[in-house]
Amino acid sequence: MPKKVFRFTHTAVDYYFDSKLSLLPTILPRKNAILLTDEHLFSAHPKQFKGWNTIVLKPGEDQKVQATVNAVVEQLIDKGADRTTTLIGVGGGVVTDLTGYIASIYMRGIPFGFVPTSLLAMVDASIGGKNGIDVGLYKNMVGCIRQPQFILYDAAFLSTLPDKEWINGFAEIIKHAAIKDAPMFRQLEANSLLSYQKKKVLLSALIQRNAILKTKVVQADEFEKADRKLLNFGHTLGHALEKQHDLPHGSAVAIGMVAAAKLSGHFSPFKDGERLSRLLRQYGLPVGLDYDKDPIFDVLKIDKKKESDFMNYVLLKKIGQAFIQKISLQQLYNYL
Ligand code: NAD
C-alpha cells in the first residue's frame, strides 16, 4: 500500500493515498479498532463496515456538539475501549473533527485515524490535527490540536458523495490554489467539476496535491502563529455569512474569497479578482450575496483573527501568493 510519512511537531502521520478501506486490517487488527461514522456513510457503503466494531452517528453539523461526545464516550465504555483501542473516523469533516476530539479526551487520549469520505475532508478537514466541536453559534469553539496516526484515502467513497458536497470541497481547493499554487489554479481553469468526477487519475492527483499543500503549511506552522493563518483566506467574512444566512460552507467561503480579493486591491497590486470569480462560478460556487452589513459585521468582529481594534485579514498579492494584512475594524467596515 503506498504510504507517505509526514512529520509534525510531536508525531508523524502516515498518509495512505490511493488506498482502500479493505486494507485497514494491514494497519491495525480489527479487535483494536472502533470505527465512528454517520448514517449516510453506513447506509451507502454497508459492505465497508462489515466485520468492524462501528458506532453510527446522525449526520450533519448539528451533531458536532458536546452531547454527541458524551453519547460516544458512553458507547466506548460499553464496548470496553481502552488505551489499546484506535478510534477511526470514517466520514466527512464532522465525523473526523469529532473523532479526533473524542479520542483526545477519552482516557486522556487514545490513538485515532481518519478515512475521509467527502472531498472537503480529503483535502482539508482530516489534515492538520485540528479537532473539536461547536458551541451554540460558535464553530469549533472547543477542541485541541492533535494529529491522527494515519489518514487513509479510499476514493471509492466519493461515488456516493452528493454534488453539493463536491462543490463545497472545490471551494477549499480553489482557496489552496489562490493562496499557494498558481499552476493548480491554471489546471482548475482548464478543467471542470465533471472532468474531475470522470477522470479518476486526475482527481486522485488533485486530492494528493491539495492534501500535501495543506500538510506543508501545517508542518511549517502547526500552532498557527504565522503561515497557517493563510488557510483562513475567505473564511473571516465566510464564517459570518455562513452563520447568519445558513449558507453551505463552500458558498460562504467563495463569497468571502471574492470580498477578500476586492479588499486585496486596496493593499496590494492584486488585479485578478474577476479571474477568481470566474473560476468559482465554473465550479458552481456563488460569488456574491445581498447581505445586511451591520449584523454581519457584529459576527465578523468576534472572529478568532481579531486583535483589539484590528483584524488580521488574509489578502492576495497575486494568484498563488497570499499575505496577512492588519486592517482596522473601522476601515474594514467602510470597505465591506
Ligand atoms: P460533513 O461531514 O457534514 O459531510 C457533508 C455531508 O456529506 C454529510 O451529510 C455526510 O454524511 C455526507 N457524506 C460524506 N461523505 C459521503 C460519501 N462518501 N457519500 C455520501 N455522503 C457523504 O461535512 P464536510 O463538508 O465533510 O466537513 C465539514 C466539517 O469539517 C465542518 O464541521 C468544518 O468545521 C470541518 N472542518 C474542519 C477542518 C479542520 O482542520 N479540522 C477544516 C475544514 C473543515
Side-chain angles (χ1 to χ4, degrees), residues 264-323:
S264 300
H266 294 286
F267 297 92
S268 80
F270 185 70
K271 286 191 208 65
D272 273 335
E274 187 41 47
R275 201 175 148 206
L276 177 65
S277 295
R278 208 179 314 126
L279 186 64
L280 290 166
R281 279 195 295 263
Q282 192 175 321
Y283 284 84
L285 288 155
V287 294
L289 178 80
D290 261 341
Y291 61 86
D292 242 347
K293 182 159 142 172
D294 287 306
I296 290 295
F297 197 70
D298 285 343
V299 180
L300 193 145
K301 274 191 313 205
I302 49 169
D303 190 279
K304 293 196 273 290
K305 291 169 290 301
K306 187 178 91 79
E307 278 174 22
S308 60
D309 287 339
F310 288 85
M311 184 73 86
N312 288 314
Y313 222 93
V314 186
L315 302 179
L316 297 179
K317 231 170 238 158
K318 56 182 184 182
I319 294 294
Q321 200 178 338
F323 67 104

Side-chain angles (χ1 to χ4, degrees), residues 38-41 44-45 58-61 64 91-97 116-122 124-132 134 139-140 156-162 164-165 168-169 172 175 214 228 235 239 242 249:
D38 76 24
E39 287 169 358
H40 288 157
L41 272 312
H45 302 271
K58 294 214 170 308
E61 184 73 26
K64 219 178 92 174
V94 166
V95 168
T96 54
D97 277 14
T117 63
S118 68
L119 184 62
L120 185 136
M122 289 181 183
D124 188 358
S126 67
I127 296 156
K130 281 190 182 174
N131 313 294
D134 305 333
K139 267 183 72 110
N140 306 319
F157 280 107
L158 292 174
S159 64
T160 56
L161 188 73
K164 68 179 192 340
E165 301 302 342
N168 266 331
E172 302 297 345
K175 177 197 78 180
K214 177 163 179 191
R228 187 167 184 172
H235 283 61
H239 273 160
E242 188 175 351
H249 181 69

Side-chain angles (χ1 to χ4, degrees), residues 45-155:
H45 302 271
K47 279 195 194 136
Q48 299 272 36
F49 296 95
K50 237 180 158 170
W52 292 101
N53 203 341
T54 306
I55 297 173
V56 185
L57 305 174
K58 294 214 170 308
E61 184 73 26
D62 292 357
Q63 301 302 311
K64 219 178 92 174
V65 291
Q66 186 63 38
T68 308
V69 176
N70 296 348
V72 173
V73 164
E74 279 178 22
Q75 292 191 63
L76 289 175
I77 296 169
D78 285 349
K79 287 177 184 292
D82 60 23
R83 289 206 177 122
T84 65
T85 305
T86 299
L87 189 64
I88 301 168
V90 183
V94 166
V95 168
T96 54
D97 277 14
L98 274 167
T99 300
Y101 182 55
I102 295 167
S104 298
I105 57 167
Y106 184 71
M107 292 191 165
R108 299 201 187 90
I110 62 170
F112 62 101
F114 293 147
V115 181
T117 63
S118 68
L119 184 62
L120 185 136
M122 289 181 183
V123 300
D124 188 358
S126 67
I127 296 156
K130 281 190 182 174
N131 313 294
I133 53 170
D134 305 333
V135 179
L137 271 182
Y138 302 103
K139 267 183 72 110
N140 306 319
M141 202 56 177
V142 170
C144 59
I145 296 187
R146 187 165 174 255
Q147 299 295 339
Q149 298 222 317
F150 65 85
I151 307 174
L152 184 151
Y153 287 82
D154 182 350

